[in-house]
Amino acid sequence: MVQQLSSQFLHLTSLLSVETVTPSEGSAPGGNWAQAFASQFLGFLPGWIGLVLVMSVVAAVFVAVVPLVPLVLVLMERKVSAWIQDRVGPMRVGPWGLLQTLADGVKLIFKEDLIPPQADKFLFRFAPYLIFTCSFAVFAAIPFSQRILVSDLNIGIFYIISISSVVAIGVIIAGWSSNSKWSLFGAMRSAAQMVSYEIPIGLSILTVIMMAQTMSMEGIVAAQNGAFAEGEPIITLLGVEVKGTILDWMIFRSPFTFLAFFVYFLSSIAEVNRTPFDLPEAESELVAGFHTEYSGMRFAVFFIAEYANVFAVCAIAATLFLGGWQGIIDEDQFIPGLLIIFGKTFLLVFVMMWIRWTLPRLRVDQLMNLCWKYLIPISFFNILGTGIWGLFFREDSALSIGLSFLIISLFVVSILGIVFNSFGKLKPADQTALAGNIGAANLQKLKTTWNERHGQQK
Amino acid sequence: MDWTQTLFWFFFAMTIGSAVFVVTVRNLVHAAFWLMITLFCVAALYVFLKADFLAATQVVVYVGGILVLVLFGVMMTSGKLDLNLKLERGQMISSGIISIALLAILFLIVRRTNWQTAETQFDSEGTTSSIGEAIMGEFLLPFEVVSIVLLIALIGAVLITRKEVKKEDAA
C-alpha cells in the first residue's frame, strides 16, 4: 500500500520535474534536460527560443512554488513560539489558524505602498528585488530528490555561497536608501555580521568538500551513500533493501565534520540574523532594523526572503551533513527523497525556532568574539584535522567510520558530563529554573539581587 | 544569431554601460550599486569563457566581500553618505592624462597578446580540479608566498586599528 502510494507520488514528481542523469553515471546534466525537452516538444521553434521558453516555465514554477515554504515557516514559527510561551497562537483563520499567513499576505498586498519622501527612491525600490532574487537563486542548486534538482552545477556549493553573500549588499542598500537612522544602523550591523559569519560557514563547508572530494551538490549527496557498504545493500528488511547506515552521513564520517556541523549550524543562525544573533533587527534598539521604513508588499518580500534563507541554510545543512535526500533505506522503493529532505530540514528549522524563543540576545562584542575567537579557530582546526584524517583513512573506510563513531561518542559523553557536573554545582533554585527555562533562571537571579539590594522579603 | 551570442552581447553591453555609470554618477552609494552590476556582468563573462569556478570566485570576493567593505568604508569615514563627487578643473586634466595612458597600455597589451582560443565544447569536468592541482602542485611556492603576504597584511591591519588598552582603562 505504502509502496503503491509512494510510486504514484514519484510518478507525479517525475512529471513535474525532469529526468536528470543519476550520479552513478558520472556526468553532470548541466542544462541538457532543458535542451532535450525543448527539442522534443518545441522542435518547430528555432532552438534557443524553445530553450528560453522551457527555462521560463521552470523559473515560473519555481517562483510560484518556493514561496509556499516561507508561508508554512511563518505559521510554524508562530505556532512553535506560542507553544514555547504557553499560548495557542493564531486560531481564528481556518482550522487551528492554518490560513493565518495567507490572510496576512492578502492584507499586505492591499496595503498602501509607502516610500519615505527623503528616501532614495530608485535604490529603495531595488533592494527588495535584490535580496529576494539572491535568496531564491540558492534553491536552484539544492537537490530535493534524485529527480528534483534544477541544475547540478559542477561548483554547486560554491555557487550557493557566492549568491548568498550578495544578500549583504541588498541589506546595506535597503538600510541606506531608507534614509533613517534605525535602518542604517540595522544594515551596518547586519552586513558586519553576515560578512564575519560567512568565514566559519565557508570553512565548515570546506571540510565537507574535502571529505566528498567534489563541490557538486549531487556529488556530495552521492558521497554519503554507502561508503561503508560500497553501495551494496547490507541487509534486506521486510522486502526493503537497507543500503547504508546513518554512519555514512557526513556528520559522523569523522570527528572534525561532526564539529563542523555545529559550527555551520551556529554560524548559519547568525547568517540569517535570528536570535540569539538578531542584533540587526533588535526590536528594543532598532525598531525593526534595515527594513524599518518598508511597508506593505515590499516588507512582505523581505519577510519571505528571510524565511526562504532560513529554509535554505537548513536544507544545505541537511544536504551536506545529514545525507541529503537519501534516507537510511533505498529511497526509490519506500519514502521519496523529497519527504526525507523536508523532514530533515524542518527538524533543523524547528531547532532554530526553539533556540530563538529560548535564548536571550547576545551583545555586539560577544557576537564578534564568538565568531573570531572561537568559531574560526575551531574551523581551521577542523580543516587541518580533516586533511590528516583523509591522509590516514583513505583506504580503510570501515575502520575510519568505527573510529570516528568512537571519538564522537566519547566527545558527546564528556560534554554531557561537563554540563551535568556544572549543573550539579548550581543552587537548587537555579537548577529548577534552568531545567525549565534559561530565561527563568535569569529572572530568578534578577529577583534575588533586587531583593538583596532593597532589603525586601518576598 | 545563436542564443549564447545574444546573451554574450547583452552582458557585454551591460558591463560597459554600468561601468560608465560607475564613474559618471555623483552619488557614492549609487556608484557602488552600478559597480555591483559591473562585477556581476564580469562574472557572467567568465561563464562564457567556461571558467565556472572563477565566476563564482568573482562574485564571492568582489561583490560579497570587497564591495561590502567599500560600502562600509564609505559609511565609516565620510560621516555623511550623500557625499557629492565633483572634479576640479586641475584634476580633470591630470586624470584625463592618466586614463588615456592606461587605455593606451591596455590597448597595446590586448593587441600584442597571442590569444589562445579554447575548444568550443564544454568540459563537463569544470575547471575546479585543474585549478586546485595547479595551485597545490606547480604554483605551490607562489601560492604560499601570497598567503603569507596576506597574513602579514591582516596582522598589520589589526595592529594599526587596535586601541592600546591602558591599565586604568582595563581596571
Side-chain angles (χ1 to χ4, degrees), chain A residues 48 120 126 154 176 188 215, chain B residues 3 30 33 75 81 125 128:
Chain A
W48 65 276
D120 188 313
F126 178 78
N154 186 272
W176 178 80
M188 299 267 288
M215 290 204 290
Chain B
W3 66 278
H30 281 217
F33 164 77
M75 290 179 177
L81 293 158
E125 287 297 304
T128 316

Side-chain angles (χ1 to χ4, degrees), chain A residues 32-336:
Chain A
N32 298 342
W33 56 265
Q35 231 148 6
F37 190 85
S39 62
Q40 196 175 348
F41 293 104
L42 302 164
F44 54 91
L45 290 170
W48 65 276
I49 295 180
L51 190 61
V52 168
L53 271 180
V54 171
M55 288 304 217
S56 321
V57 169
V58 170
V61 169
F62 200 65
V63 170
V65 171
V66 177
L68 290 179
V69 168
L71 277 188
V72 175
L73 286 189
V74 171
L75 184 75
M76 183 174 157
E77 175 103 274
R78 296 179 70 171
K79 282 292 185 187
V80 168
S81 70
W83 176 53
I84 287 173
Q85 297 172 342
D86 271 347
R87 297 182 284 117
V88 286
M91 288 294 277
R92 296 293 174 94
V93 191
W96 305 291
L98 286 180
L99 300 176
Q100 181 65 48
T101 27
L102 217 58
D104 288 345
V106 172
K107 184 193 81 175
L108 283 169
I109 289 172
F110 282 113
K111 273 203 166 183
E112 189 188 349
D113 175 32
L114 288 173
I115 299 179
Q118 297 297 311
D120 188 313
K121 296 204 174 45
F122 172 62
L123 289 183
F124 189 82
R125 289 204 187 99
F126 178 78
Y129 296 126
L130 183 65
I131 292 180
F132 190 81
T133 313
C134 294
S135 302
F136 280 87
V138 167
F139 283 88
I142 300 176
F144 284 107
S145 89
Q146 203 162 7
R147 292 181 183 81
I148 306 176
L149 168 62
V150 176
S151 178
D152 180 26
L153 296 168
N154 186 272
I155 50 161
I157 184 65
F158 194 41
Y159 158 82
I160 289 175
I161 296 175
S162 69
I163 283 293
S164 56
S165 72
V166 181
V167 174
I169 299 262
V171 167
I172 294 183
I173 286 180
W176 178 80
S177 65
S178 304
N179 202 4
S180 145
K181 279 176 198 140
W182 316 123
S183 303
L184 190 58
F185 276 128
M188 299 267 288
R189 280 187 185 183
S190 177
Q193 187 172 320
M194 284 164 128
V195 170
S196 309
Y197 275 87
E198 253 160 35
I199 301 167
I201 284 186
L203 294 176
S204 310
I205 287 174
L206 196 57
T207 58
V208 174
I209 295 173
M210 284 168 80
M211 292 291 283
Q213 304 192 345
T214 176
M215 290 204 290
S216 132
M217 294 296 268
E218 264 302 282
I220 290 172
V221 173
Q224 301 175 65
N225 180 16
F228 195 39
E230 304 286 323
E232 294 291 312
I234 303 174
I235 40 170
T236 312
L237 229 151
L238 299 173
V240 177
E241 287 177 340
V242 178
K243 259 183 145 178
T245 63
I246 283 183
L247 296 183
D248 288 322
W249 291 358
M250 224 28 120
I251 179 172
F252 296 122
R253 284 281 273 284
S254 85
F256 305 103
T257 45
F258 185 75
L259 270 179
F261 170 73
F262 290 99
V263 171
Y264 174 84
F265 193 65
L266 268 181
S267 315
S268 61
I269 295 176
E271 176 88 3
V272 296
N273 297 332
R274 289 173 68 83
T275 323
F277 308 105
D278 68 336
L279 290 126
E281 42 203 63
E283 289 87 354
S284 48
E285 301 161 27
L286 294 176
V287 191
F290 68 90
H291 52 60
T292 302
E293 303 295 334
Y294 283 86
S295 67
M297 209 49 212
R298 286 185 215 286
F299 167 74
V301 164
F302 281 123
F303 209 63
I304 291 172
E306 199 180 313
Y307 278 93
N309 272 337
V310 169
F311 188 81
V313 292
C314 288
I316 292 164
T319 308
L320 293 185
F321 293 97
L322 305 180
W325 46 258
Q326 50 199 3
I328 307 165
I329 33 200
D330 196 352
E331 73 294 327
D332 266 345
Q333 290 188 19
F334 202 60
I335 312 170

Side-chain angles (χ1 to χ4, degrees), chain A residues 197 200 263 266-267 370-380:
Chain A
Y197 275 87
V263 171
L266 268 181
S267 315
L370 178 69
C371 179
W372 292 97
K373 291 189 180 167
Y374 296 96
L375 294 181
I376 290 178
I378 290 174
S379 316
F380 279 127

